[in-house]
Amino acid sequence: MIINGVTIDQTFAEAFPMKATRAIITAQNEKWAMISAQAMTGFATSVIACGCEAGIERVLDASETPDGRPGVSVMIFAMGGKGLAKQLETRAGQCVLTSPTSALFAGIDGGTRIALGKNLRYFGDGFQVSKLISGKRYWRIPVMDGEFLTEATTGQVDAVGGGNFLVLAESQPQALAACEAAIDEMRKIPNVIMPFPGGVVRSGSKVGSKYKSLGASTNDAFCPTLKGMTKTDLSPEIESVMEIVIDGLTKEDIDKAMRVGIQAVCDLGAENGIKRISAGNYGGKLGPFHFHLQEIMA
Amino acid sequence: MSALTFSLKRRVDQRVDMSPLVCQKLLGLDPSDIGALELHNGKAKVRVDSLFDISGSDTQKIIIKNSYEKLDFIGKELETGEISIIGDAGAYLGLGMKSGFIRISGNTGLFTACEMKKGLIEIDGNTGDFLGGALPGNKMGMKGGTVLVKGNAGDRVGDHMRRGNILIEGNAGDYCGSRMTAGTIAVMGQTGKHVGYAMRRGTLLLWNGPQVPANFNDCGAHTLAFLPLLFKSFKTLNSAFSEPAAMFNRVRRYAGDMSEMGRGEILVKI
């Protein structure tokens, strides 16, 4: 398959079941909601070393938030429910509770309930106040700037993590420009996050390493500087490869995000140095969710 | 199917226990069965059809017409459906109510919504003492749901209240929020003496400054984030509480009762 001069490989991205949750952070203005959200989703690019994958889903208008203030929706993904709950609580406590003027609300009503502010209330040292409003429990925790308002729980649902595609380009600036265009479009799709810095990862990995202590190492088949010394997957003109990883609530959400992302890359086309779109997989043996690039773009 | 309607034929001198006439107990009964049910009337028992003309058949929608202040226990432990009362009601309206909706066009007596657990009671008129309170000797008053009073309430509103909302558009009497364990009482009008007496936790939200008791401490003026959420939850009510003009988030906070746990609060609109 070729779109606008860009070859779409006959391959697939392989993804895994994960657990996910969503939280809504509001603040006095969008600036401070975003600062809090960025802190909460920081150091959360990959479950390999961060414990979770997290990202900003979108900015929320004041009319969309529970307390009528500007807000940001964040999503956190982890391999299991226990790990997710721990990450959520730690991040909420250290990054949102501490952030000036912030308030924290559940972003998913259904699913299994996990603690959002339920345990943060103990920071109130006995001065915390509970309020049950429209069937939802909130905690008002006295803090130095006033009161930190948080919903007690949020929903945890089954989700999919690890959807991806690779952008193969003739130069590094061209690969990055294509990925930026893709991310701009993908951020418009609800229920997905792209957890890596700016949504783009330049150090895609393969399973295993020559070093016993490492479970993952650089994806040498896609490293352009190794073209002459490894079993490369790159043609001579490819000088840079970048990857976009997508976590989503459902397979369909990831499908949509991949479609608009790949389309945005292809719109730049071969004339802007984009040569191929590929994807990372492990032969289909590890993850039950397969995203076939040509099917998605058909 | 039209609403099951009980029209009072005559006003009896002794009080009437209306607790058998709730939606879940009448489910599946036809009007003749319902007419044969017996109600306590003072020391005597009387058939329902000797007191009321019965019409309609929808047992999940009950209307009581010509109601007056001696009809007690209307909607006791109501589990489902709705009851509309045209006129006044006696004591214990909605006692231990578990769900559903009760609406009354007139006034209600003592212990309205007493130990209520869930649902909505809307009172167009005034209500007596111990609104949402606990039965004498019991430790837990209202445990959930919402009571809306468009007129005035008597003394001891929310005595021993544990959860839920009591919304009063008019005035509240003395000892409003006494011995409250938790929950919210909002009063748009004036409040009487000894507001929050022996209050442990919970919120009294007042539009007008009360006589703040000595055992409540002034914590200053604040903008509280939970208030917009609270007002938002009133939006569906047929009430002044649902009007945008009623909303505010700026209050003066008084904490107390310091002779008790002291975790309660009186929030006064500023």
Side-chain angles (χ1 to χ4, degrees), chain A residues 121-130 139-142 147, chain B residues 253 258 262-263:
Chain A
R121 74 179 193 259
Y122 295 112
F123 183 73
D125 200 23
F127 296 104
Q128 68 272 22
V129 177
S130 162
W139 284 100
R140 296 163 51 198
I141 303 168
E147 255 184 10
Chain B
R253 184 174 193 265
M258 292 301 169
R263 298 284 185 261

Side-chain angles (χ1 to χ4, degrees), chain B residues 11-39:
Chain B
R11 291 192 171 194
V12 288
D13 292 336
Q14 300 299 320
R15 306 192 77 84
V16 180
D17 178 355
M18 296 284 285
S19 60
L21 302 184
V22 286
C23 302
Q24 74 271 15
K25 287 186 179 173
L26 303 183
L27 193 65
L29 299 183
D30 58 40
S32 60
D33 296 332
I34 295 168
L37 292 174
E38 289 187 325
L39 303 176

Side-chain angles (χ1 to χ4, degrees), chain A residues 113-174:
Chain A
R113 304 311 289 176
I114 55 173
L116 186 62
K118 191 177 173 183
N119 299 322
L120 299 183
R121 74 179 193 259
Y122 295 112
F123 183 73
D125 200 23
F127 296 104
Q128 68 272 22
V129 177
S130 162
K131 279 281 146 203
L132 194 64
I133 301 173
S134 298
K136 293 179 179 176
R137 185 166 296 286
Y138 297 87
W139 284 100
R140 296 163 51 198
I141 303 168
V143 285
M144 295 196 314
D145 80 343
E147 255 184 10
F148 172 57
L149 179 68
T150 174
E151 205 167 325
T153 60
T154 186
Q156 170 204 288
V157 293
D158 291 333
V160 182
N164 68 80
F165 63 90
L166 306 174
V167 177
L168 287 70
E170 285 177 336
S171 72
Q172 201 178 69
Q174 286 170 319

Side-chain angles (χ1 to χ4, degrees), chain A residues 32 36 50 68 83 123 145 152 162 220 224 239 272 281-282 284:
Chain A
W32 280 100
S36 183
C50 305
F123 183 73
D145 80 343
D220 54 271
E239 198 178 300
N272 286 299
N281 65 60
Y282 311 96

